[in-house]
Amino acid sequence: MKKTIVTILKVAILIILFAWIVIVFTDYFRVRQSKDPMFCLSEETHDYADGSNYICHGLGYKMIRYNRTCLAATEFGPFIIKERQCE
């Protein structure tokens, strides 16, 4: 009985981990093709005098798209990345 519960837990954890990997890679490849991420938990737009930054928070990752005169780029990384500022 105890081995069955442990086996079920292991399988459930592997399924959740696999689903998370699929979500992260789906959004990563969409961002590389200049598309918006599919699985955003929250979205923000920061407006500045010279443009704006679009930020998407996902499950453990963050995507930042800079549309400013001093910076035009897209970053995809862990949720701890900070928004770059123009000098």
Side-chain angles (χ1 to χ4, degrees), residues 15-60:
I15 289 171
I16 291 170
L17 182 63
F18 179 75
W20 178 75
I21 290 171
V22 168
I23 288 170
V24 170
F25 276 102
T26 299
D27 277 352
Y28 174 73
F29 287 116
R30 286 182 59 85
V31 168
R32 284 192 54 185
Q33 295 173 353
S34 299
K35 298 178 182 175
D36 286 336
M38 197 179 269
F39 302 103
C40 284
L41 296 178
S42 67
E43 298 174 313
E44 302 174 38
T45 302
H46 296 164
D47 293 320
Y48 298 97
D50 64 343
S52 65
N53 294 345
Y54 168 73
I55 303 170
C56 164
H57 299 272
L59 291 171

Side-chain angles (χ1 to χ4, degrees), residues 56-76:
C56 164
H57 299 272
L59 291 171
Y61 60 92
K62 185 189 296 185
M63 188 276 301
I64 305 172
R65 182 170 291 136
Y66 302 97
N67 292 320
R68 299 179 68 183
T69 55
C70 62
L71 182 62
T74 301
E75 289 184 337
F76 189 94

